[in-house]
Amino acid sequence: MKPLVIANWKCNPVTTTEAKRLFNSVKEGLKNIKDVEVVICPPFIYLLALKANSHKAIKFGGQNCFFEKGPFTGEISPQMLKNLGCQYVILGHSERRALGESDEMINKKIKAVLKEGLKPILCIGEKDQEFKTKEIKNQLRGALSIIKISDLENLIIAYEPVWAIGTKNPCDFKDAKKANSSIREILAEFFGESMAKNILVLYGGSLNSEIAAGYIKESKMDGLLVGGASLDAEEFVKLVKKVARALIPSP
Ligand code: PEP
């Protein structure tokens, strides 16, 4: 399985021209990359413009969605994201949880996204700088309540310790590895070992090109969710290339 590197542009950049410029530089820089699956999650208003100028190797995702369509001012549905060319949707990001999004809402969103055949990227992570299995288990239990076993192959978990997001204070490789194992144990307890092993687990939090590959090689993560560093095309391209190089077995 190729490692998955997801760019979360958050609420950036401010104009379509800048979004196109950033995207074109990333696209150009990654045109020969085959061993890493790259997903760009821009603000949804840019999706059409970027998709029109893309190539097959780059996939797209949304940063959020709502669980219903109809009279919900300001919301966007999974179906709309799908029609704009998305295959993935980030859900439950800590920046959205901070705005009041509950595990119950995240659960409804995950179900709505899966129903549309899209892949939800469920963000979980502890608030204080200490991994607490109970906190993570509660987040997973709440968000994944009554999910169809057959949908699990489309589920992606992003372990994003809240204290590591946008702080230049990433989780170290050893702690990320421990968190990865704990998350896998919880998933196995919920869904059984054989189903749980198909779920991808990513790391996110203050990533940069110098450290990114370590989370794949040492922490055994299946991929990365990149915030700030994905807004600098040169840095993001370097990061993806280092991940690709990390997969080449040493002689
Ligand atoms: C994120 O917001 O998902 C994230 C990982 O941000 P950053 O890389 O900036 O810490």
Side-chain angles (χ1 to χ4, degrees):
M1 173 102 44
K2 289 184 193 179
L4 185 59
V5 177
I6 300 181
N8 176 13
W9 287 6
K10 310 194 187 197
C11 193
N12 300 289
V14 174
T15 65
T16 309
T17 307
E18 286 172 87
K20 280 185 180 168
R21 196 180 304 131
L22 172 57
F23 179 74
N24 287 340
S25 303
V26 168
K27 190 182 75 168
E28 186 56 27
L30 296 180
K31 65 177 180 229
N32 296 320
I33 293 285
K34 293 183 193 74
D35 304 326
V36 180
E37 179 99 327
V38 177
V39 180
I40 307 286
C41 301
F44 65 78
I45 54 154
Y46 300 138
L47 281 164
L48 262 193
L50 304 188
K51 182 95 174 80
N53 189 26
S54 186
H55 58 59
K56 281 208 299 283
I58 295 184
K59 308 275 191 314
F60 289 92
Q63 297 177 10
N64 178 40
C65 68
F66 198 57
F67 41 86
E68 287 191 54
K69 60 182 164 77
F72 300 101
T73 304
E75 298 291 358
I76 178 161
S77 73
Q79 205 175 9
M80 291 171 189
L81 288 174
K82 188 173 165 179
N83 291 340
L84 288 170
C86 288
Q87 295 178 34
Y88 297 80
V89 189
I90 297 172
L91 292 173
H93 192 283
S94 59
E95 288 157 9
R96 297 209 55 84
R97 291 180 192 257
L99 295 173
E101 193 160 293
S102 65
D103 287 328
E104 196 188 342
M105 286 167 79
I106 297 164
N107 177 248
K108 287 184 182 164
K109 292 181 179 192
I110 289 179
K111 286 177 183 154
V113 160
L114 287 167
K115 200 167 157 209
E116 247 357 280
L118 300 171
K119 298 181 186 216
I121 302 155
L122 166 64
C123 300
I124 54 165
E126 72 278 8
K127 284 209 182 84
D128 301 330
Q129 195 163 350
E130 189 194 347
F131 185 89
K132 292 193 192 85
T133 307
K134 198 168 163 228
E135 188 179 354
I136 298 296
K137 197 171 187 171
N138 283 342
Q139 287 178 0
L140 285 168
R141 187 184 286 113
L144 300 178
S145 158
I146 328 180
I147 298 284
K148 281 198 244 142
I149 289 284
S150 57
D151 278 336
L152 290 178
E153 62 187 291
N154 284 327
L155 176 68
I156 298 161
I157 306 289
Y159 170 60
E160 297 212 303
V162 180
W163 52 267
I165 295 182
T167 57
K168 297 200 170 24
N169 178 27
C171 183
D172 69 33
F173 299 149
K174 245 165 101 190
D175 287 343
K177 188 175 180 189
K178 277 195 223 154
N180 188 359
S181 306
S182 302
I183 291 165
R184 295 213 160 275
E185 274 167 30
I186 297 168
L187 293 171
E189 186 187 319
F190 288 175
F191 303 114
E193 196 113 11
S194 68
M195 288 316 297
K197 73 172 191 298
N198 297 326
I199 302 172
L200 303 184
V201 180
L202 319 181
Y203 170 76
S206 293
L207 281 163
N208 61 55
S209 61
E210 293 306 313
I211 58 173
Y215 292 95
I216 307 295
K217 274 174 92 164
E218 297 186 31
S219 313
K220 307 293 175 208
M221 291 286 174
D222 298 309
L224 306 169
L225 178 48
V226 188
S230 70
L231 295 171
D232 175 339
E234 204 179 313
E235 173 66 0
F236 184 67
V237 167
K238 209 155 124 194
L239 185 156
V240 173
K241 286 186 173 170
K242 290 232 179 148
V243 169
R245 242 175 274 142
L247 302 170
I248 303 170
S250 30

